[in-house]
Amino acid sequence: MRIRINMSNNVLTAIKAIVNNRKNLQEVQDGVQNRANQMGEALEGFIKNAFANCLGADQRTINREQSLTFSYLGNSNNPPDAMLRGGDAIEIKKLATIGTTQLQLNSSYPKNKLHADNPKICAQCRDCENWDEKDMLYVVGQVNGTELHNIFFVYGDLYCDAPNVYEHVENVIKEGLKSLDSVELAETKELGRVNKVDHLEISDLRVRGMWLIRTPFQLYSYLTEEIQNYTFKLVALIPLNKYLAFPNREEFEDFCYENGVTIANEEIPDPQNPANLLEAKLITYYC
């Protein structure tokens, strides 16, 4: 029996699924008992089910639809959290508030694209399909108690600088460590590792990076400042050329017209040169 591989699901599919299920966010609440890691796992499952268009389905259906939609479903130690078959790489982040909190990206610097030769990704991710580069999509959700209150979809091309900008900082730190006298450095994928620090030569020091980035809620707050007094708000920023290439765009626009979802044209400062403006689609929904 041939398996129907779904390569048409994308961010528009996820937005439509979430709007359709705005009154039933049970996937976010399941298993949540005021523990940050549980809330993060619940949000991640909710987002993946939205992309697979199986929100509220039974577990057998979820397993099947996720398998058809994703080529990779992530792990706890390596980016990304998921990859769509023939489509985007997805990184999902949870926030408790959207005020001054920054996103923690850990040792993985912000990415406008995900490349198959990135040393931070695992072999299963690299080999799950035939690919060299994928667009990076950040999905940031604010969970208030056990309720999803805000969600923001933004593509790395509108959010992150070029890889060499971040790699330069890491390389400066690595070269600085190498220049230290009387320090025994070991091979590592982290910023550095110093072995045999003490006289007994039994203590080692790992130098690890912790990348932080302002949330899209903060960076693009001016785009939705007129939206006040809402229970739930969804925002998406998509590069115009990306949006126009989606095969389900016309169907999605009909859905938006019928369900109070707004689509507008915006010009966003280019992360690689803010003097330039990039054309984008801004999608908003609130209730």
Side-chain angles (χ1 to χ4, degrees), residues 34 51 65 114 117 127-128 140 178 206 244 252 286:
N34 296 323
F51 275 94
E65 293 304 317
L114 184 69
D117 60 359
D127 300 335
C128 66
V140 185
K178 291 180 181 179
R206 296 170 63 186
L244 294 177
F252 176 75
Y286 66 98

Side-chain angles (χ1 to χ4, degrees), residues 254-270:
D254 291 339
F255 170 84
C256 291
Y257 178 77
E258 296 169 357
N259 289 272
V261 181
T262 301
I263 305 175
N265 296 317
E266 283 290 346
E267 292 183 323
I268 304 300
D270 184 348

Side-chain angles (χ1 to χ4, degrees), residues 18 28 43 46 85-86 102 170 209 243 258:
I18 292 172
V28 177
L43 175 66
F46 177 80
R85 293 188 183 275
Q102 290 180 292
E170 290 188 342
Y243 177 82
E258 296 169 357

Side-chain angles (χ1 to χ4, degrees), residues 25-44 94 143-147:
L25 302 181
Q26 188 63 39
E27 277 85 350
V28 177
Q29 300 179 29
D30 285 348
V32 176
Q33 297 178 349
N34 296 323
R35 291 180 57 185
N37 61 332
Q38 288 179 319
M39 286 191 287
E41 291 173 3
L43 175 66
E44 185 173 318
K94 180 198 69 68
V143 180
N144 184 8
T146 59
E147 180 182 358

